[in-house]
Amino acid sequence: GHTTGPSLNNDKLYKFAYSAEVYVDQVKASLQKSAGYRISSGVDVNLLWRNPDNDDDQLIKITITDVQVENVNERPAAKNVFKGKSTEKIIGKEYLEALQRPIVLELVRGKVKTFYSYQNEPGFTQNIKRGLASLFQLQLHSGSSREVDISGKCNATYHVRQDQVTKIKDLDSCEIEKKGFTSHNRILDVGTKATSATVYVLEDSFIKSIKAEENFVFVLNYRRKTGAKIVSKQRLELKSVQAGLGLIAAKQVASVIKTLDPNYVAMPLEAEPVKSECKKCPSLSEHWQSIREYMHPDKLSKAEAAKSFLSFIQNIRKATKEEILKIIKSEKKEFLPQIVDAVTSAQTPESLEAILEFLDFKDASTSILQERFLYACGFASHPSETLLKSLTEKFKGDVANEEIRETLVIVMGALIRKLCDRGGCKLPAVVEAKRLILNRLEKAKKGDNVQMYLLALKNALLPEAIPVLLKYAESGEGPISSLAATALQRYDPSFLTKEVKETMNRIYHQTRKVHEKTVRTTAAAIILNSNPSYMEVKNILLSIGELPMEMNKYMLSMIQDILQFEMPSSKTVRQVLKDMRTHNYDRFSKTGSSSAYTGYITRGPDVSSTYSLDILYSGSGILRRSNMNIHVFDRSTELHAIQVVIEAQGLESIIAATPDEGEENLDSFAGMSAILFDFQLRPVTFFQGYGDLMSKMLSATGDPMNVVKGLVLLTDYLQEIQLQSGPTASAEFLGGLAIDISGGMEFSLWYRESKTNVKNRVAVFVAGNTEVDSFFIKTGMETTLEAETALDFISTVQFSQYPFLVCMQMDRVESPFRTHMTKYESLPSGRRYTARRGKAATLAGNEYPLHQENSNMCKKVFGAKSESAGSWF
C-alpha cells in the first residue's frame, strides 16, 4: 500500500558507507586548513518487522561496522595525531565495542517513534548512534512539523521534489537541556548564527544518499573579525543491496524486541549530556601560583593582568567553596583585592558562598575588600537572584563602614536593573529590593541618606521611580536636585512622559524657584535629547542672552554641538533658528569659557564610539562641573562605557571673587563621580567645607586620587552545543579589563591657575575557545586579542583675567594591539597538533581635536606659561 515514509524491502540487507566530519576555523576561512577529524564506517540496515495492520509502521536494525578515524584534511605524517594508531587504540576497546552494537528504530510514517539501544553504554557512543538514527527521520510530503531528534524537539521544514527531499531544521527553536550564559550588554556579547540542512535522495522508495550539514558561527559584536565557526557534516551513501534475513513474525513491537534481545531498552532520541574528564588539570592553588605575579597591584594596567584574571575565573568556576577559601585565607594583603575581583566575577554558587563567608561587613578594617566585592557585583555579567538577596540581607544587617553601606545599596540598584532586563522584575528578591529602596527614600531625613537611595535609583532606572526623582529634582537642595536630574537623564527618552518634560522646563526657566546652573543645564539637556517640541526649543533659544554669563556660553555651545554632530533634535533646532529673530547677533556672540563638544573616537563597521566633553564654569572662572563621556554603540544598542564628572562649588572665596547670583551660600565642595559600563559608582569627595579645603590646599601634592582600580569581566559568554552527528561542542568567550582611573584637582594661588586631571589606564584581554569534544579527541580554535592604552584628560584654567583662559587636552598614548589564533587537535594521551598565527600592531597616539576655540586657547595658555614658569605654590 501507499506509505508516507521511506519503506524497506523484506529480506534485504542495505549496505551504506557513512562518514561524520567536524571542522573548526575562523569565520571566513575555507575548510582546507581547518582543525577537525572524520569518523567513517560501514552501516548495515535491514527490516525486522512490519506491522500487519499498518505497513507504515516498521522496525529496522542499524549496525555500525569497520570504524575508521582520520584527519579531516590531508596532513604530513609528523602533524597527524592519529599516525600509527589503530582505531581500537584511538577510541578504546570498550567504546569501539559499544559503537558496533546494533540499534533498533521503530519508524512510523518516516518519523522515529522509538529508539532502542543498550543501557550502561558510554554517553559518547550512544550519542554517535543517536546522530546516525536521526538521519533516518524524514517525511515524504512538503510542510513543517515539530519533531524530536538528537538536537531535541525542533521545528523542521520539508521541501519535496520528485526523488529529492530537503529538510531544514531551525536550531534556534530546539528545546534541549543547554548550559551557558551571555553577557549583560549586547555590544559586549557574542553574536551567533546556527543553520542545519539535510538533503535526501530516494530510490525504490528507500534512501539512496543523505548529505547533512550544520554550521555554527560566533563573533564578538564589538569586533566581528574575532570569531569562530564549527561545521559538522554527515554523509550516508548506499553501496549495495544484498539478500538478508527474513522478518520476525509478531503482532506487537514489544514481542519482536524480546525475541531479538531482551536487553534492548527504549531510550530518548534526544542527546544525553556528557562531559570528558580533565586528566592533567592543575588544582586551583597550583594555577594561582602560576599567575600570581601578574596580579600584583602595580601590574594592573598590563594586558597580562587581564589575561591571568580570565584564566583564574575559568578555574574558580570548576572549584569548590573550600578550595577557593583556602587561597583567600592564605594570601598576602596586596593580592586580596584582585582575588576578590576574580572570585566575585566567577558567579557560581560556590564562589558566592566562599566570598560571603570570608567578608565580614561588621568589620571596618577590610572595607577595601568589601568595596572590591561590591563593585564586582555591580559589573556582574549574569547576576543571580541569590546575589541580590544576599546583598539585601547584608544591607539590613550591621555594616561598620558608612561608605560600604552606601555602596551596598548603589550596587543593589544595578542588580535590580540587570535582573529586570532579563525578565526577572517579578522575582521575590527584586520586588523586595525595589520596595526597600523606595520606602527608605521616602522616610530618609538626612541628605546623605537621600543621596545614596537616589544613586541606587540612578542604577536601577525603574519606571515607577520617575515621580520621586521629579520631586527631588525640582524641590531638593543643590547636590540632591542635581543628582535626581542626572538620574532622569539616564532613562531612555521613551520613558520621559509629558510630566517629566513639564518639570524640566520649569527647572530650566526657573518658573517656581531659583535653581543652580548645574541642575538647569541638565534639565535643558534632557529636554533637547527627548524629541523636543518646536516651542520647547524656541523657549530655550530665547533664554540665551538672559542667562548668567558662563551659562549663556555653555548653552550656546550645547546648541552648536547638537547642530554640528547632527543629533536627533538638530532638525527642530535648525527650523527654529530659521524662523525666528532669536538668531540675532547679540544673543549669539557671548563671551565666556564654558563649552560642550562631541566627537568620534572610532567609526567602524561593527561599533562606533564617541567622546563628549562639557565644562561649565562660574562667572569668576572656577570650575563648576566638567563632564567627560565615552559612549559605544552599534545599530541597536548603546553602552555608556565611561563617565567622569568633576563638580566643585563655593570656591570663590579662595580667590576672593564674587559668587554667582543664587550661589552665595554654597558650602565649599569638590568631588568626582564616575559611571563605568552603565554602572554608577559611589562618588568620591576631594574636600568638603572650607577648613578641609584649606588644609588640603596647603598640603597639596597634586597626587591624583584613585577613583576606581581593579579587574572587570566585560564579556562573559558560554554556549554548549549538541552537534547532530553526536559530539558536543562549546564556544566560550571571555573579555577582561584591567583598569586604573584616577582624578585630581590642584590650585596655584600664585599663578591664579587650577588644573583638573583625569587619567584612564586600561588593558584589555579577550580569549575565545571554540571546541568540539569527542571522548577520544578534542579539536578547536583558541583566539586572543590584547591591547593596552591610556587616555589622559587635563584641563588648565588661568583666572588672572576675564574671560579666563581654559585649555583642555585629551591624549591617548600609543597603544600596542595583538591578536593570536591557535587551531588544535589533541588526544587524551597528550599527543597534540597545533597551528598558530599572530599579528601585532601599534595604534599611534592621538591628541583628540576638541573645538577650534580650545586649540586657540591652549596656544595662549602655554605661551603665557613659559614666561612665568615656576613651581606651584
Side-chain angles (χ1 to χ4, degrees):
H2 172 70
T3 62
T4 52
S7 172
L8 285 81
N9 290 325
N10 304 2
D11 314 330
K12 295 282 185 221
L13 176 65
Y14 295 81
K15 287 186 100 54
F16 289 90
Y18 175 63
S19 72
E21 300 172 339
V22 174
Y23 301 83
V24 185
D25 213 327
Q26 288 174 297
V27 180
K28 295 263 166 75
S30 75
L31 300 179
Q32 277 93 9
K33 291 189 174 165
S34 302
Y37 59 89
R38 176 189 299 119
I39 298 181
S40 50
S41 71
V43 169
D44 292 353
V45 182
N46 64 301
L47 183 67
L48 294 171
W49 171 86
R50 185 178 266 122
N51 189 335
D53 305 327
N54 170 13
D55 58 8
D56 216 351
D57 178 0
Q58 319 169 75
L59 208 56
I60 65 171
K61 177 169 141 191
I62 300 175
T63 313
I64 293 175
T65 63
D66 311 320
V67 181
Q68 299 292 322
V69 182
E70 57 197 333
N71 288 122
V72 76
N73 286 313
E74 286 287 313
R75 291 255 159 79
K79 295 192 168 177
N80 181 351
V81 286
F82 303 123
K83 173 89 177 108
K85 292 190 168 199
S86 65
T87 305
E88 185 176 305
K89 188 110 173 62
I90 296 169
I91 293 183
K93 190 166 187 246
E94 175 205 350
Y95 282 86
L96 188 56
E97 281 170 5
L99 205 50
Q100 296 182 344
R101 263 179 231 132
I103 52 172
V104 175
L105 301 183
E106 183 183 2
L107 292 175
V108 178
R109 290 191 295 280
K111 302 293 170 91
V112 177
K113 184 184 174 192
T114 324
F115 168 74
Y116 295 96
S117 186
Y118 294 97
Q119 243 169 339
N120 305 328
E121 274 190 13
F124 278 112
T125 53
Q126 205 73 278
N127 282 347
I128 288 178
K129 293 182 189 179
R130 289 183 167 109
L132 178 58
S134 298
L135 286 178
F136 285 87
Q137 174 157 277
L138 83 152
Q139 64 184 43
L140 297 183
H141 57 275
S142 295
S144 295
S145 66
R146 254 184 110 56
E147 52 181 51
V148 174
D149 68 3
I150 182 168
S151 313
K153 191 175 191 180
C154 315
N155 296 339
T157 306
Y158 289 88
H159 301 280
V160 179
R161 291 206 349 250
Q162 284 148 336
D163 285 337
Q164 189 169 312
V165 180
T166 306
K167 169 162 75 172
I168 303 291
K169 187 157 63 176
D170 175 6
L171 294 172
D172 295 331
S173 71
C174 296
E175 288 170 36
I176 191 168
E177 188 64 42
K178 261 207 206 109
K179 275 209 192 77
F181 35 78
T182 56
S183 310
H184 175 69
N185 187 296
R186 209 187 81 104
I187 288 176
L188 300 172
D189 206 33
V190 171
T192 59
K193 197 175 170 197
T195 56
S196 162
T198 308
V199 178
Y200 296 84
V201 177
L202 305 175
E203 188 177 75
D204 189 18
S205 81
F206 193 52
I207 291 161
K208 184 185 179 189
S209 72
I210 304 176
K211 280 184 187 172
E213 184 172 320
E214 264 184 315
N215 281 277
F216 295 91
V217 172
F218 306 91
V219 289
L220 275 184
N221 288 338
Y222 49 93
R223 189 180 188 268
R224 289 180 168 274
K225 269 189 186 158
T226 300
K229 70 174 166 194
I230 298 173
V231 179
S232 161
K233 297 182 179 189
Q234 288 166 281
R235 292 179 86 136
L236 190 71
E237 279 186 56
L238 184 62
K239 290 297 180 199
S240 65
V241 182
Q242 302 172 2
L245 299 166
L247 299 187
I248 297 171
K251 277 262 188 268
Q252 302 291 335
V253 172
S255 46
V256 183
I257 294 292
K258 218 172 186 168
T259 310
L260 196 64
D261 185 342
N263 290 321
Y264 270 123
V265 188
M267 292 188 171
L269 188 53
E270 189 177 301
E272 62 185 272
V274 287
K275 200 83 195 118
S276 58
E277 283 309 301
C278 184
K279 302 273 193 302
K280 300 175 179 171
C281 287
S283 69
L284 187 64
S285 43
E286 284 168 343
H287 177 257
W288 166 248
Q289 288 308 322
S290 71
I291 59 165
R292 185 174 179 269
E293 59 172 302
Y294 304 114
M295 301 289 266
H296 192 276
D298 297 345
K299 294 194 176 169
L300 282 198
S301 49
K302 293 274 171 271
E304 197 63 56
K307 177 184 179 177
S308 305
F309 170 64
L310 297 181
S311 66
F312 196 28
I313 288 173
Q314 284 173 307
N315 277 303
I316 295 169
R317 284 181 169 162
K318 300 179 198 135
T320 62
K321 175 179 147 185
E322 288 68 35
E323 290 174 293
I324 298 168
L325 276 170
K326 191 178 139 193
I327 293 183
I328 302 181
K329 287 179 171 167
S330 62
E331 198 40 91
K332 283 198 187 122
K333 215 163 122 189
E334 67 258 36
F335 288 98
L336 282 174
Q338 290 74 259
I339 294 177
V340 169
D341 286 339
V343 171
T344 313
S345 301
Q347 299 169 78
T348 62
E350 283 81 5
S351 65
L352 179 62
E353 276 178 35
I355 195 82
L356 287 174
E357 184 172 312
F358 171 69
L359 291 174
D360 178 6
F361 284 84
K362 298 186 185 74
D363 173 8
S365 70
T366 59
S367 62
I368 287 183
L369 298 179
Q370 294 165 33
E371 183 175 69
R372 286 288 271 267
F373 160 69
L374 291 171
Y375 278 167
C377 293
F379 292 124
S381 48
H382 48 96
S384 62
E385 187 191 6
T386 319
L387 177 60
L388 178 59
K389 201 176 164 185
S390 313
L391 295 191
T392 309
E393 279 164 17
K394 295 285 176 208
F395 183 73
K396 289 171 157 171
D398 286 343
V399 180
N401 179 317
E402 191 47 43
E403 290 183 347
I404 293 298
R405 201 167 159 267
E406 289 171 24
T407 309
L408 250 169
V409 79
I410 293 171
V411 170
M412 282 162 60
L415 294 179
I416 289 171
R417 178 178 175 203
K418 287 187 173 179
L419 289 164
C420 282
D421 281 352
R422 301 219 159 184
C425 248
K426 302 259 188 308
L427 294 169
V430 179
V431 173
E432 193 201 346
K434 285 200 282 196
R435 202 172 45 225
L436 179 117
I437 293 169
L438 290 166
N439 288 349
R440 298 233 178 149
L441 177 57
E442 215 170 300
K443 297 193 184 83
K445 297 279 180 282
K446 286 209 329 260
D448 288 358
N449 278 344
V450 172
Q451 206 155 348
M452 77 182 186
Y453 294 116
L454 288 177
L455 284 162
L457 292 177
K458 189 173 175 179
N459 274 329
L461 297 180
L462 301 169
E464 62 265 40
I466 289 177
V468 120
L469 292 170
L470 287 176
K471 181 187 93 179
Y472 279 106
E474 192 166 22
S475 53
E477 284 307 299
I480 299 270
S481 73
S482 181
L483 175 54
T486 60
L488 288 162
Q489 199 175 9
R490 290 196 70 200
Y491 280 84
D492 188 86
S494 59
F495 285 105
L496 302 180
T497 53
K498 187 164 149 273
E499 193 188 356
V500 176
K501 295 181 78 173
E502 283 168 0
T503 310
M504 292 304 116
N505 278 297
R506 282 198 304 271
I507 291 174
Y508 177 73
H509 296 292
Q510 307 200 97
T511 320
R512 292 191 180 164
K513 63 176 260 199
V514 173
H515 292 278
E516 286 182 34
K517 291 196 287 284
T518 45
V519 186
R520 292 179 69 191
T521 50
T522 303
I526 291 173
I527 297 164
L528 291 169
N529 190 35
S530 41
N531 197 7
S533 68
Y534 183 91
M535 273 322 286
E536 284 176 319
V537 174
K538 184 171 177 175
N539 287 335
I540 286 178
L541 286 174
L542 279 170
S543 71
I544 296 178
E546 319 297 325
L547 303 167
M549 204 146 54
E550 282 296 328
M551 186 171 162
N552 252 333
K553 180 73 173 55
Y554 181 87
M555 288 305 299
L556 193 55
S557 196
M558 190 195 277
I559 297 288
Q560 281 163 340
D561 196 37
I562 287 172
L563 295 173
Q564 231 162 356
F565 204 72
E566 299 280 343
M567 291 178 195
S569 57
S570 58
K571 282 199 180 82
T572 315
V573 173
R574 281 207 168 85
Q575 192 55 47
V576 174
L577 286 173
K578 218 168 76 187
D579 294 353
M580 66 186 269
R581 58 190 173 81
T582 44
H583 204 51
N584 55 27
Y585 178 74
D586 175 53
R587 180 163 290 147
F588 287 125
S589 63
K590 295 294 169 195
T591 53
S593 306
S594 301
S595 65
Y597 182 76
T598 305
Y600 278 103
I601 299 179
T602 56
R603 296 179 83 157
D606 310 325
V607 293
S608 296
S609 52
T610 59
Y611 64 92
S612 65
L613 198 53
D614 61 88
I615 295 206
L616 176 64
Y617 292 95
S618 69
S620 56
I622 290 215
L623 178 78
R624 281 294 268 124
R625 183 186 63 212
S626 91
N627 184 349
M628 180 194 100
N629 289 280
I630 295 178
H631 283 91
V632 183
F633 50 92
D634 64 10
R635 289 182 190 86
S636 60
T637 321
E638 183 178 322
L639 171 67
H640 199 167
I642 281 186
Q643 177 185 67
V644 179
V645 180
I646 293 185
E647 282 205 53
Q649 63 174 42
L651 304 186
E652 280 71 19
S653 49
I654 317 171
I655 57 167
T658 319
D660 292 3
E661 184 194 359
E663 300 192 349
E664 295 84 2
N665 303 325
L666 293 180
D667 196 15
S668 300
F669 163 81
M672 176 163 172
S673 162
I675 289 175
L676 205 52
F677 301 105
D678 275 331
F679 165 46
Q680 164 77 52
L681 311 176
R682 188 177 52 74
V684 179
T685 300
F686 295 152
F687 49 78
Q688 175 95 49
Y690 189 70
D692 187 20
L693 162 65
M694 285 327 270
S695 69
K696 288 209 169 119
M697 269 188 65
L698 295 170
S699 65
T701 51
D703 280 351
M705 206 163 152
N706 190 47
V707 181
V708 60
K709 185 177 191 151
L711 296 152
V712 182
L713 181 61
L714 287 184
T715 296
D716 192 10
Y717 178 91
L718 173 69
Q719 229 42 60
E720 294 193 352
I721 303 146
Q722 178 58 51
L723 298 182
Q724 66 193 19
S725 57
T728 48
S730 64
E732 180 177 36
F733 285 85
L734 291 173
L737 185 73
I739 191 160
D740 190 342
I741 297 180
S742 53
M745 194 171 178
E746 41 185 328
F747 283 98
S748 159
L749 291 180
W750 187 256
Y751 289 113
R752 294 181 81 82
E753 123 173 331
S754 80
K755 230 185 187 165
T756 323
N757 188 349
V758 179
K759 267 185 157 37
N760 302 293
R761 285 204 295 281
V762 292
V764 185
F765 194 90
V766 179
N769 185 21
T770 308
E771 180 172 85
V772 178
D773 182 1
S774 284
F775 55 99
F776 62 90
I777 182 172
K778 283 186 175 184
T779 180
M781 183 177 81
E782 288 172 351
T783 154
T784 64
L785 167 71
E786 58 182 283
E788 290 169 13
T789 189
L791 198 63
D792 282 351
F793 164 56
I794 303 160
S795 64
T796 311
V797 184
Q798 292 184 347
F799 36 77
S800 45
Q801 61 194 54
Y802 191 83
F804 37 86
L805 298 175
V806 182
C807 165
M808 295 181 290
Q809 295 154 285
M810 190 162 125
D811 300 338
R812 191 191 69 220
V813 300
E814 73 167 23
S815 319
F817 179 85
R818 287 183 287 276
T819 56
H820 279 279
M821 188 257 323
T822 306
K823 290 185 267 199
Y824 61 88
E825 295 157 4
S826 77
L827 302 182
S829 65
R831 195 191 265 198
R832 194 174 159 96
Y833 156 77
T834 53
R836 290 191 166 87
R837 285 233 314 273
K839 255 193 193 145
T842 301
L843 303 175
N846 191 358
E847 188 166 325
Y848 287 95
L850 303 167
H851 33 44
Q852 188 54 48
E853 207 176 322
N854 181 57
S855 309
N856 299 343
M857 279 232 197
C858 287
K859 290 191 185 102
K860 281 191 192 164
V861 169
F862 290 107
K865 246 187 138 160
S866 53
E867 294 152 35
S868 59
S871 72
W872 288 51
F873 301 115

